[in-house]
Amino acid sequence: TPTDRFAIVADGWFDGERSHAGPATVCVRNGSVASIDAGDHGATLAARGLAVRNGGFLMPCLMDAHVHLFLDGGPTDGALRSAHLKQSVAELTEAARNSARQALACGVSVVRDAGDRHGINHVIRQEARDERAGLCRVRSGGSGIKRAKRYGAFMAGDVSDADSIRQSVTELARHNDEIKIILTGIIDFDAGAVTDEPQFSLEEAQLVVATAAACGRKTFAHCSGINGLAIAARAGVGSIEHGFFMDRATLAIMRDRQVAWTPTFGPVHFQWAHPEAVGWSANTVGNLRRILDSHAEHLRLAHEMGVPLLLGTDAGSMGVEHGKAVLEEIRRYLEAGLTLATALHAATTANRRHCGLADAVLKPGAAFEAMLLDASPFAQLDALASPRQVWLAAPAPPG
């Protein structure tokens, strides 16, 4: 509760940027970090009547920068997944609540929902402002924008000409935390490429970005394939989501314009690891592996070049479960050659800073939104899977 006063004597801690050796004594007062002091001061504080928790590894809660709450990533049977989408809005909303509860249980205190045409993400965003709801908080992309008869109907509405783009983005900005543009379709895994043309030209994408900015909103773009990626980077979207088939030239533009990248390995990696769930041929499985290897290579290059990296999972996609998928995405960052500190930074502070959330680093004066693990993830990565305790900060007032 907001009036809590207690202390944690942690064996070690991560502030969102750097890992620190313990022991360290963290005092919390009225929902904020009052102090962080080296050493074990638990006995002294307990003598003064303060409740003290001993042991464990303390770090900020995680944030997943790309989810679809109303989708359930658990089922892998195609018929079950199709049936899920045919449920009523009330049933899909309950599925979204379950997703938000599961995420929080895994230490994910904030998600950025990347679109649903029903606006269920707005509903869960509002419900999650009640701390008693037991839901992770939601940064909602509402419904995005797309072209008629093109990919993305489950998460976006249609626009046509420049006037409709301006009108739609302006209207969406009244309710959305960010504006999502569906710039390309999905990957043709049999062909091992993105085979369709981008849905928007450079000028149209720039109009989306400019209109959103005039409304005080960032943009994020569903995009893969070199043609679409070039448009997204040059248009200056806030972040590129997925971004398969990346190249160095596009990364250079992203670095110069500080366009962030959310690589979302999860769905492709699942289909490579479990081809039987989709029925992929050996040739397609080979394509998936080549796509993943190139993705990892460009993630490593992006980090070296200074492109801002966000960690998002595309939870709700087949085999990509809410909350649980964050640890799997961290594994992909490690396999690409990034350090655990870099991956955790992307999953905590970098995500929060990109979204303009306050208190992105665990430090004195910050709101106390943290989780306690049984062991340091730097020694035992799987400790991230089951937080011992999760503390949510008081939610910010609606913006």
Side-chain angles (χ1 to χ4, degrees):
T1 66
T3 57
D4 274 349
R5 295 186 63 189
F6 60 92
I8 299 166
V9 179
D11 300 324
W13 62 292
F14 178 73
D15 62 14
E17 297 179 321
R18 294 186 301 119
S19 180
H20 305 266
T25 303
V26 180
C27 291
V28 179
R29 182 183 300 117
N30 298 331
S32 295
V33 180
S35 61
I36 302 177
D37 298 303
D40 181 348
H41 305 286
T44 300
L45 294 172
R48 296 175 184 170
L50 202 65
V52 178
R53 294 164 171 84
N54 290 289
F57 186 90
L58 189 69
M59 62 175 287
C61 289
L62 302 165
M63 175 178 172
D64 191 334
H66 192 115
V67 309
H68 297 278
L69 287 170
F70 80 109
L71 298 178
D72 183 356
T76 58
D77 179 79
L80 285 176
R81 295 190 65 80
S82 295
H84 179 89
L85 286 172
K86 295 174 182 176
Q87 295 180 100
S88 68
V89 171
E91 290 170 318
L92 291 172
T93 302
E94 184 57 29
R97 289 189 190 100
N98 290 334
S99 298
R101 291 188 189 104
Q102 181 169 300
L104 184 59
C106 293
V108 179
S109 65
V110 186
V111 299
R112 179 171 65 161
D113 189 283
D116 78 68
R117 64 187 176 88
H118 305 292
I120 293 168
N121 41 18
H122 289 340
V123 173
I124 305 302
R125 177 182 62 187
Q126 180 60 37
E127 292 181 2
R129 289 179 176 138
D130 183 345
E131 297 172 75
R132 299 166 297 180
L135 309 174
C136 69
R137 290 199 297 279
V138 180
R139 185 168 175 83
S140 177
S143 175
I145 62 169
K146 60 178 279 291
R147 290 292 191 191
K149 300 181 180 179
R150 298 290 299 276
Y151 171 78
F154 75 94
M155 57 179 169
D158 297 340
V159 295
S160 53
D161 57 12
D163 285 341
S164 72
I165 289 174
R166 291 189 191 93
Q167 181 177 356
S168 293
V169 171
T170 301
E171 176 60 25
L172 289 171
R174 294 178 55 211
H175 306 286
N176 291 16
D177 292 311
E178 295 183 41
I179 305 298
K180 184 173 185 182
I181 175 173
I182 313 300
L183 192 48
T184 65
I186 56 176
I187 302 169
D188 183 334
F189 291 125
D190 285 325
V194 174
T195 56
D196 60 348
E197 290 300 311
Q199 297 193 26
F200 297 90
S201 68
L202 174 59
E203 292 73 19
E204 290 165 336
Q206 288 172 327
L207 178 60
V208 173
V209 172
T211 305
C215 297
R217 296 289 181 263
K218 284 187 174 182
T219 52
F220 59 135
H222 169 106
C223 186
S224 287
I226 191 60
N227 294 334
L229 290 170
I231 289 173
R234 288 184 168 86
V237 298
S239 65
I240 290 175
E241 309 297 299
H242 318 305
F244 289 92
F245 308 103
M246 185 65 75
D247 69 347
R248 180 186 286 269
T250 301
L251 289 174
I253 298 170
M254 293 170 67
R255 174 201 60 207
D256 294 344
R257 303 204 63 174
Q258 287 295 283
V259 173
W261 184 17
T262 316
T264 65
F265 283 84
V268 179
H269 188 273
F270 175 81
Q271 293 181 59
W272 168 77
H274 302 279
E276 73 283 355
V278 191
W280 290 132
S281 67
N283 178 71
T284 301
V285 172
N287 286 342
L288 291 166
R289 187 64 259 172
R290 285 187 289 274
I291 290 168
L292 288 166
D293 289 344
S294 175
H295 210 46
E297 176 186 349
H298 285 93
L299 174 62
R300 183 170 59 252
L301 182 59
H303 176 59
E304 293 170 356
M305 293 174 65
V307 175
L309 298 177
L310 310 179
L311 193 140
T313 66
D314 210 2
S317 298
M318 180 187 291
V320 186
E321 298 187 63
H322 291 278
K324 300 177 183 179
V326 174
L327 175 55
E328 291 306 306
E329 195 74 14
I330 288 172
R331 294 188 197 278
R332 306 292 84 79
Y333 277 53
L334 300 181
E335 290 168 358
L338 277 63
T339 66
L340 179 57
T342 297
L344 290 178
H345 173 71
T348 57
T349 295
N351 278 350
R352 285 178 169 83
R353 280 181 175 155
H354 179 81
C355 293
L357 302 180
D359 301 322
V361 177
L362 190 62
K363 63 181 181 180
F368 187 66
E369 183 155 293
M371 61 181 182
L372 191 65
L373 309 177
D374 285 331
S376 166
F378 293 90
Q380 184 181 326
L381 184 61
D382 284 346
L384 282 166
S386 303
R388 182 190 301 178
Q389 188 163 354
V390 176
W391 291 272
L392 273 179

